[in-house]
Amino acid sequence: MVFINGHHKNILAELVNDRISGYENALYCPLSEISPHLVNAFVAIEDKRFFDHDGVDWKRTMGAFINEFVPIYSSRQGGSTITQQLVKNLTDDRSQKASRKVREIMRARYLEGKYSKDEILEAYLNTIPLGHGTYGVEVAANYYFGKSVKDLTILECASLASITKSPSNYSPDDNPENNKK
């Protein structure tokens, strides 16, 4: 948060609003209106140590790097934190080069220095693609369950959070069995 001419201004929220205004299926939803069960589900699935790191989970990053050369995991493991994923969502930087990962790490560390974990979570939950052209948890909750994100059950929260791994493979309407697993 910054103060401009004596007024509080959340630049991150403005960036997110600017970003999602270009999407047909996106609605900004404040964190206070998002079910805590949904927040917990996303943190559990995407970034277990979100509240403990400074934007980069070095353990996961090193594991993903080593796995590129010595397969220690059965599948490619991502090392990106929620903050790094937010950076990717805001910048649309999809390069496969190592320089993109370095930029992403630097930007994530910058965001963590400027914004609270709640502000970062709010921005992330409003920019994440959740299949069928939906961006953000409010639109996805409405699309998949016909209700506002604040009214989701624990099971519906887990269902939405699971979509992030692969929206086409884990969509509750197209692939309910995969989503259920």
Side-chain angles (χ1 to χ4, degrees):
M1 293 182 213
V2 295
F3 289 89
I4 298 176
N5 297 329
H7 298 293
H8 170 267
K9 192 169 188 173
N10 186 336
I11 303 296
L12 185 59
E14 285 191 18
L15 278 172
V16 171
N17 271 320
D18 287 347
R19 180 75 178 156
I20 67 174
S21 68
Y23 299 140
E24 195 170 308
N25 290 323
L27 267 175
Y28 194 87
C29 184
L31 191 61
S32 61
E33 294 180 22
I34 296 173
S35 165
H37 299 301
L38 186 64
V39 172
N40 292 337
F42 270 93
V43 169
I45 288 174
E46 291 296 307
D47 188 359
K48 289 177 183 76
R49 291 185 285 277
F50 174 73
F51 292 103
D52 300 321
H53 61 64
D54 61 353
V56 180
D57 185 336
W58 293 107
K59 182 178 178 181
R60 281 180 55 202
T61 300
M62 292 308 295
F65 177 75
I66 291 168
N67 198 53
E68 288 292 319
F69 304 102
V70 180
I72 54 178
Y73 301 114
S74 59
S75 64
R76 288 188 72 193
Q77 300 289 313
S80 293
T81 63
I82 284 175
T83 310
Q84 288 172 281
Q85 291 175 52
L86 172 61
V87 166
K88 195 182 300 181
N89 293 346
L90 291 175
T91 63
D92 234 3
D93 191 348
R94 305 280 186 228
S95 169
Q96 295 297 315
K97 296 180 180 179
S99 58
R100 185 222 18 115
K101 195 63 166 175
V102 171
R103 282 191 307 273
E104 185 179 282
I105 287 170
M106 292 172 61
R107 290 169 174 164
R109 300 273 321 254
Y110 174 80
L111 284 181
E112 290 270 346
K114 287 275 202 199
Y115 300 98
S116 71
K117 291 288 188 175
D118 283 351
E119 289 171 308
I120 290 167
L121 268 173
E122 181 176 293
Y124 168 77
L125 292 170
N126 277 288
T127 58
I128 188 157
L130 290 165
H132 298 287
T134 63
Y135 291 87
V137 294
E138 179 65 34
V139 173
N142 189 275
Y143 178 85
Y144 292 111
F145 305 111
K147 57 173 85 168
S148 175
V149 71
K150 68 181 176 210
D151 299 323
L152 293 176
T153 66
I154 292 174
L155 183 59
E156 290 165 339
C157 290
S159 178
L160 268 190
S162 72
I163 297 170
T164 61
K165 293 295 179 194
S166 175
S168 59
N169 289 326
Y170 293 103
S171 169
D173 56 349
D174 293 340
N175 292 299
E177 287 306 310
N178 289 349
N179 183 273
K180 187 176 178 180
K181 290 178 188 173

